[in-house]
Amino acid sequence: MHPGSAAAFRASIREAAAMDASAQSGGAGGDATARKPAPKRKAGKKARKAKKARVSQPAFTIQQGEDMLLYISNTSSQSEGLLWTSRRKKVLKAKLLKNQKKKKKTVCPKSRLERKAVKEEEDNRFPEEDRWGQLLPEEVLVNIFQMLVVQDGAVPFLCRVSRVCRLWNAAAATLTLWRKVAVSQCWIQPARGQTEKTSNRIKETFTWLAQNRFSQLRDFTLCHWATSVDFALETVSEFCPHLRSVHLSYCRGMTGSGLRSLGLHSRTLQRLNLQHSEFQVEGLVDFLEEHGKQIRQMLFTRSHRNDKVLAAIAKGFCPDLELLEVNKKLDSKDTELSVCFQSLQKACPKLKIFRMFNIQIQHKAMRKRDESEAGFPLLDEFCIANTEYSYITDQVLRDVLFGSTRLRVLDLRGSTRITTFGLAQLPCSKLECLFWGQYFTKNIGFTSVKKNLQLLMEKWGPTLQQLDITNQPFTEADLEVALTFLTQVAEADTLLSLNLSGTKITAQALRPVIEQMTALGYLNLSSCRNLPRGVKKIYRSQEEIRELLANLH
């Protein structure tokens, strides 16, 4: 704008403002002469303040610059909330919205044809390849669920898929899918205990499952339950007449009440696994005394408190016992256990599997063996593996296995006092698995150099499928003679696994075994100092073993 024109424009604005002010003052004076005098207020009464009329702010502001006028808008995003609006309008608007929410839409019931048309429209909305889960026959869906249940378990998989649709709900309700169930502890926020409300909800859910899904339950597992273990056992035993196996893993608080309920209702119970769980020893002993005749498999973790359980079994409370497995806690220092094998042989003549892991067994001989005693005639597996030390000698081993002619698996890992002469005198002639490696967590030296490994190859070579002689102090010549004899007496497809870790095996002694044992699928050569570099490792397939053979030539 030109400076002269801007000055003229400012002058005109001042003149108009002056005229407007004079007009207002004159009008006010005229009105004052025409009005009546205001009445006087009475004494003692305060004068009321006159209400000031609310003046709305203009939507713009004009500011004068040096040579121009600035037009500034007041309706920006920052000042919109500052503009005054009528409160009455806000209240009316809120009431209107509230009334609209209260009104319910009246929907006229659709006819059957209309509902059918809507369903067809929903079906046509998705292509047929996306609705395969709703088009599958229920029998096919049950078979699919069965494979997933075997892999992942029935809970919580079946509980989740039952919420997909009606078809999946009906398939998940098939009772044959609920024959093996494992229930774990519900997740709780760290540093917070389980409230009474949560505990009641868990009990209600568990009771509903037992009543509606567990009627054909066979194997039941309870994991990491610190409370309500007796409640779970009582509920399962009451509603599951076909229960055969109960497994409590890392549970606490089981008393005689839950065991008595199992004895009263579960007449088909055969397997009881209490490993790594805390239980009332007296209650378990009473249960075995009353109902031990039906138990076929017994597994528990050894401690100084539950040695009475093994004593009860030795007294004959479980005459039909076929499997006995005892282990110990990893942090337990009390590892020695006195075992009377003569009492066990007499009390459990049908025993097929005997396992004691990481327990130093002290053989307790009561009397001389009678000729009428049969030992363990049906024993199929004998395992006394440990990683510290062992008291088992050749004589003790013969006293235990003198009648075990059907023995197929012999696990003597950690037994340093056993010799090849003692093993060769055992009555079993068709041994398939021999685990005789030395695995120590402490620095324990060997008693002497061992020899005559060929005696074992001569006795069990034709049937031996797995051989483990880790860290056994055989000489190079002894290993070469034994493996050569093995290749002569064994078939090509017999030996499947060979562990020579830490031995003095040589490439010359190893080459004939790899060439002739075509079915060999596992070979451990780690820490074998007499082998060349690059081959001292574990081979887990036949292809890797063939590559090793090419490197040895």
Side-chain angles (χ1 to χ4, degrees):
M1 183 181 290
H2 194 270
S5 59
F9 183 70
R10 287 195 298 271
S12 62
I13 290 178
R14 294 193 198 98
E15 185 179 354
M19 291 175 65
D20 190 12
S22 62
Q24 289 181 0
S25 62
D31 292 342
T33 56
R35 289 178 183 173
K36 294 180 180 181
K40 296 180 180 180
R41 68 175 184 273
K42 296 180 180 180
K45 289 187 177 181
K46 295 182 179 181
R48 293 182 178 179
K49 293 183 179 181
K51 293 184 178 181
K52 295 182 180 180
R54 189 183 296 272
V55 181
S56 60
Q57 296 180 357
F60 61 90
T61 301
I62 298 177
Q63 293 185 3
Q64 181 178 354
E66 294 181 356
D67 55 353
M68 65 182 66
L69 294 176
L70 301 178
Y71 177 87
I72 304 174
S73 177
N74 291 336
T75 58
S76 62
S77 59
Q78 296 179 355
S79 60
E80 282 182 358
L82 301 177
L83 297 179
W84 177 83
T85 56
S86 175
R87 184 176 181 275
R88 181 175 179 81
K89 290 183 179 180
K90 292 183 179 180
V91 173
L92 292 176
K93 187 175 182 180
K95 288 184 177 180
L96 182 63
L97 293 175
K98 187 176 181 180
N99 294 334
Q100 288 180 355
K101 290 181 180 179
K102 288 184 177 179
K103 291 182 180 180
K104 295 183 179 180
K105 295 182 180 180
T106 56
V107 181
C108 299
K110 296 182 180 180
S111 62
R112 186 175 181 181
L113 295 177
E114 290 177 349
R115 291 197 300 269
K116 185 177 181 181
V118 171
K119 185 177 180 181
E120 291 178 355
E121 182 179 355
E122 292 179 354
D123 293 343
N124 295 331
R125 188 182 305 173
F126 302 100
E128 186 171 344
E129 57 269 13
D130 293 342
R131 294 184 291 111
W132 63 269
Q134 302 178 5
L135 301 177
L136 281 176
E138 185 175 341
E139 294 79 6
V140 177
L141 200 58
V142 169
N143 292 334
I144 296 175
F145 287 174
Q146 181 65 49
M147 291 185 288
L148 294 173
V149 163
V150 172
Q151 180 179 356
D152 299 332
V155 177
F157 170 73
L158 294 179
C159 299
R160 292 172 178 172
V161 299
S162 61
R163 303 176 64 182
V164 174
C165 62
R166 293 182 179 179
L167 176 62
W168 286 39
N169 183 282
T174 305
L175 297 179
T176 55
L177 298 175
W178 298 84
R179 290 182 175 178
K180 186 176 181 180
V181 175
V183 180
S184 299
Q185 176 64 23
C186 297
W187 184 87
I188 303 176
Q189 188 173 356
R192 289 190 178 184
Q194 189 180 91
T195 62
E196 184 178 358
K197 182 178 179 181
T198 304
S199 179
N200 293 333
R201 290 182 61 186
I202 293 173
K203 291 181 179 181
E204 292 175 0
T205 304
F206 191 84
T207 303
W208 185 91
L209 287 173
Q211 293 175 352
N212 299 275
R213 296 290 186 269
F214 291 175
S215 60
Q216 294 190 20
L217 182 65
R218 302 291 194 272
D219 302 333
F220 175 68
T221 302
L222 200 65
C223 302
H224 297 276
W225 276 46
T227 58
S228 305
V229 176
D230 286 339
F231 166 79
L233 293 179
E234 292 171 0
T235 305
V236 167
S237 61
E238 183 179 356
F239 295 101
C240 307
H242 305 289
L243 189 65
R244 296 182 307 182
S245 172
V246 173
H247 182 191
L248 302 183
S249 177
Y250 294 95
C251 294
R252 300 196 305 267
M254 186 186 70
T255 63
S257 176
L259 292 170
R260 282 193 298 271
S261 181
L262 287 175
L264 292 175
H265 300 95
S266 303
R267 298 296 183 181
T268 60
L269 183 65
Q270 298 180 358
R271 179 184 174 92
L272 190 60
N273 189 345
L274 305 178
Q275 288 184 339
H276 305 290
S277 295
E278 298 179 4
F279 52 88
Q280 186 181 9
V281 178
E282 291 76 11
L284 180 58
V285 172
D286 294 340
F287 170 79
L288 294 178
E289 185 176 2
E290 296 179 8
H291 308 283
K293 295 181 180 179
Q294 68 186 53
I295 300 299
R296 301 291 185 272
Q297 300 179 5
M298 184 70 193
L299 304 91
F300 63 95
T301 299
R302 191 261 168 177
S303 67
H304 66 279
R305 295 181 179 179
N306 53 25
D307 287 347
K308 297 179 181 179
V309 178
L310 187 62
I313 295 174
K315 290 180 180 179
F317 291 168
C318 304
D320 296 332
L321 192 67
E322 297 178 357
L323 183 148
L324 177 60
E325 181 175 324
V326 185
N327 62 1
K328 76 173 186 67
K329 296 181 180 179
L330 296 178
D331 57 348
S332 177
K333 297 181 180 179
D334 188 12
T335 59
E336 296 184 0
L337 177 63
S338 180
V339 180
C340 181
F341 285 101
Q342 290 180 344
S343 300
L344 286 175
Q345 290 170 351
K346 185 178 180 180
C348 307
K350 298 181 181 180
L351 193 66
K352 296 181 179 179
I353 299 175
F354 179 87
R355 298 172 183 158
M356 281 195 176
F357 298 107
N358 291 324
I359 295 178
Q360 280 64 54
I361 301 175
Q362 293 182 350
H363 179 51
K364 184 179 179 181
M366 296 182 62
R367 51 183 171 77
K368 293 183 179 181
R369 185 176 72 244
D370 297 334
E371 296 181 358
S372 59
E373 295 181 3
F376 295 122
L378 303 179
L379 194 63
D380 182 77
E381 178 182 345
F382 184 75
C383 174
I384 52 173
N386 67 85
T387 58
E388 294 187 5
Y389 56 91
S390 175
Y391 296 114
I392 300 297
T393 61
D394 292 340
Q395 182 61 41
V396 174
L397 193 62
R398 285 195 299 268
D399 292 341
V400 176
L401 303 177
F402 72 92
S404 305
T405 57
R406 301 183 182 181
L407 191 67
R408 296 187 309 107
V409 180
L410 182 59
D411 192 346
L412 302 174
R413 286 174 291 181
S415 300
T416 57
R417 303 186 182 186
I418 301 295
T419 64
T420 54
F421 296 101
L423 293 176
Q425 294 178 6
L426 295 179
C428 51
S429 59
K430 296 183 179 180
L431 194 70
E432 297 179 1
C433 303
L434 175 60
F435 303 100
W436 197 20
Q438 308 299 327
Y439 302 88
F440 294 113
T441 58
K442 298 181 180 179
N443 187 14
I444 300 177
F446 300 108
T447 55
S448 61
V449 176
K450 296 188 177 178
K451 54 184 178 180
N452 296 326
L453 183 61
Q454 70 275 8
L455 295 177
L456 304 184
M457 302 299 104
E458 181 180 358
K459 184 178 181 64
W460 296 317
T463 59
L464 204 59
Q465 298 180 7
Q466 299 183 39
L467 176 62
D468 179 9
I469 54 173
T470 300
N471 294 323
Q472 286 288 2
F474 291 104
T475 62
E476 297 90 335
D478 201 286
L479 288 171
E480 184 174 358
V481 172
L483 294 181
T484 303
F485 196 88
L486 178 64
T487 57
Q488 296 175 359
V489 299
E491 298 291 337
D493 57 348
T494 303
L495 189 63
L496 304 177
S497 174
L498 181 61
N499 192 340
L500 302 173
S501 176
T503 61
K504 298 180 180 180
I505 188 68
T506 60
Q508 182 180 356
L510 183 63
R511 193 179 300 112
V513 179
I514 301 177
E515 290 177 348
Q516 298 190 25
M517 300 300 171
T518 57
L520 189 63
Y522 177 86
L523 180 61
N524 191 344
L525 300 178
S526 58
S527 302
C528 294
R529 296 185 177 181
N530 293 345
L531 292 178
R533 292 184 178 180
V535 301
K536 294 181 284 187
K537 60 181 182 178
I538 302 176
Y539 302 87
R540 304 181 185 274
S541 65
Q542 296 182 4
E543 292 76 11
E544 295 180 358
I545 295 175
R546 295 304 164 197
E547 294 178 2
L548 169 64
L549 181 61
N551 295 332
L552 292 178
H553 282 295

